[in-house]
Amino acid sequence: MQDNHLYEYAVIRVVPRVEREEFLNIGIILFCKKAKFIKVLFHLDQARIQALSNDFDIEQLECNLTSLEKIAKGAKDGGPIAEFDIPERFRWLTAIRSSAIQTSRPHPGLCQDLEKTINRLFEELVL
């Protein structure tokens, strides 16, 4: 029998015009301290983003999201934050900010398979 994993996740949102507070869900960050697991998944739907702001810089958004992915992975080219331990990286990635990329507050859950869970959340909340 597999153990249940206590995990936390946050939804990544793009807010093309911060002053209007409209957003689209574009990704998921899932973290499990015990399993030493953290992963970022994202998907950009250019047409939906441009419906909120037709002059929004999609290329810059993709570059920024790739940086978040590198930080989560602890990649050598992810900068100094990628060197933090996994819980610190998750807390940094989910910190409240008023920029074009924001996250929901973290939500907890229990699961047996972290990969299946992040994929399910991604399907339900992003795609």
Side-chain angles (χ1 to χ4, degrees):
M1 181 163 168
Q2 288 185 341
D3 287 339
N4 277 335
H5 297 286
L6 175 63
Y7 68 87
E8 293 180 69
Y9 76 93
V11 179
I12 303 169
R13 302 169 173 159
V14 62
V15 187
R17 295 188 181 253
V18 177
E19 68 277 8
R20 288 176 35 183
E21 298 183 5
E22 297 172 326
F23 65 85
L24 293 169
N25 293 346
I26 59 170
I28 296 286
I29 306 167
L30 191 131
F31 155 69
C32 176
K33 182 177 179 179
K34 186 176 178 182
K36 297 181 180 175
F37 180 95
I38 186 169
K39 188 169 184 177
V40 169
L41 294 178
F42 66 88
H43 170 75
L44 298 180
D45 184 331
Q46 189 168 346
R48 289 183 71 206
I49 294 169
Q50 288 181 327
L52 294 180
S53 177
N54 63 355
D55 61 348
F56 191 75
D57 189 342
I58 303 289
E59 286 182 33
Q60 183 62 53
L61 175 62
E62 188 166 18
C63 179
N64 292 346
L65 290 168
T66 299
S67 293
L68 295 182
E69 196 173 43
K70 287 178 181 181
I71 289 168
K73 289 179 180 178
K76 298 265 186 229
D77 60 345
I81 296 162
E83 296 175 14
F84 291 175
D85 67 15
I86 291 172
E88 289 176 314
R89 280 185 265 153
F90 181 73
R91 297 292 170 236
W92 187 90
L93 289 168
T94 59
I96 295 173
R97 48 183 65 88
S98 62
S99 65
I101 300 174
Q102 299 179 8
T103 61
S104 69
R105 293 185 184 223
H107 306 283
L110 287 172
C111 73
Q112 291 185 343
D113 187 322
L114 295 165
E115 284 290 341
K116 282 185 181 177
T117 299
I118 191 171
N119 289 323
R120 178 184 56 78
L121 290 169
F122 187 69
E123 287 282 328
E124 290 175 7
L125 301 174
V126 177
L127 297 182

